[in-house]
Amino acid sequence: MPAPAVPLRSLPGEYVIARFPVGADITPVLTALVASASLMSVTRTDQEISIVCDVIVAPSAAELDGPWRALYAAGPIPFGLTGVVASLVGPLAEIGCPVFVVSTFDGDILMTPSDRHAEASTALEDAGHTIDA
């Protein structure tokens, strides 16, 4: 079965991935981000707390990686549809481009380093995906 072609929307701005120790009190950070961030994602595991947010509101107390650019595969994408993330990550793996993926209930956010965004976009379009700037 061929990988699905996915329409992508380029999200404005640049983003960071912030890492906090698992025991950190991030309540003040989250309060500030919810009020100001256009894109924010929080993931907690038994090892860490990761927050994706706009570089402009990056939490200073965190270990940061970035800047990254984001492409949104907006949905809703049915949970039973397989191969969506693979179809996005595969072309980028072929060109050696790092990725960070955040999934939501409705879609997937594919992030690439800002300095590789144009190259990543070209690879995705060459693989059959469309990008709406």
Side-chain angles (χ1 to χ4, degrees), residues 5 33 40 50 58 82 92 105 125 127:
L33 290 176
M40 183 188 85
S50 291
T82 61
L92 301 179
F105 194 92
E125 288 174 329

Side-chain angles (χ1 to χ4, degrees), residues 60-97:
S60 60
E63 176 184 341
L64 301 175
D65 191 278
W68 296 75
R69 293 282 312 270
L71 296 167
Y72 185 36
I77 297 173
F79 285 108
L81 182 61
T82 61
V84 174
V85 173
S87 76
L88 298 169
V89 173
L92 301 179
E94 289 177 15
I95 63 168
C97 182

